Amino acid sequence: AATPRLQRGYSESRYLGRPEADGNRCTSMGILGGSLGASGHAEEALPVLGATLAVARRYFSHDIDGVLTAQTEVANCLCTIGREHDAHVIMCEIYNTRKAAKGPMDGQTITAALNYAGCLGASGAHEEALKLLRKTLPDAQRALGESNDCTLRIVGLFAELVKQSATSREEVVEADALVRKYIEIVRRVFGQKHPLARMFLDLSRDVRAKLESFPA
């Protein structure tokens, strides 16, 4: 696979001098922005990704998935540079657009909900994030399966947010039961030595420690 630096040079050569409405130019700009972000240059990546989104909206608005993907890249970059509030506003728009177009059970809608919840959590809106995760998890379980990566990430994020900010014992009990259930699922599907099994065991230990901080 090409390194971010090689991708950056290749992408620059692919879009420089091309007309703004050229599809290859837009794609190459997106690759360039992604490569900058992947190599630790998020501040430089943001204007490139913003320009890619602007071009996608201006000339390729019929490609809804392409526009939403470009928006997601911008939001992820904003989150990386500490602009979590701006990121979660964009992620909210992406989630609502996905849900309106494809319904709550679609895999892309579920992924958008997870991304939105992650941005909410990063910006300190933990209660909103937990509410969204509670609503999304049953859809992910039914549509994707309980061992799907996205489902596991929803469970992990839910438990992590509860560990950080729970204000009631009941909320921690809920997270503890959920994590213990998924430890068994991960062990059965992936094996006891899989990194996911270790991750959920560590998360379970942390949630149990949080639970012990509340009076019985």
Side-chain angles (χ1 to χ4, degrees), residues 160-206:
E160 185 65 34
L161 291 174
V162 168
K163 182 187 78 174
Q164 292 176 17
S165 64
T167 56
S168 73
R169 190 175 192 278
E170 292 72 20
E171 199 168 51
V172 188
V173 168
E174 176 189 11
D176 180 50
L178 189 61
V179 172
R180 284 190 286 110
K181 171 186 174 180
Y182 273 86
I183 287 173
E184 296 307 314
I185 291 171
V186 168
R187 282 173 169 169
R188 185 175 69 248
V189 175
F190 300 103
Q192 293 196 30
K193 295 185 178 180
H194 194 278
L196 278 171
R198 171 51 57 189
M199 184 196 82
F200 273 94
L201 281 170
D202 289 345
L203 196 51
S204 177
R205 180 199 62 215
D206 293 342

Side-chain angles (χ1 to χ4, degrees), residues 39 50 52 58 71 74 94 98 102-103 139 156 165-166 184 192 209:
S39 59
T52 304
R58 186 176 302 122
Q71 278 186 288
V74 170
I94 294 167
R98 291 281 191 201
K102 299 190 175 184
D139 293 335
S165 64
E184 296 307 314
Q192 293 196 30

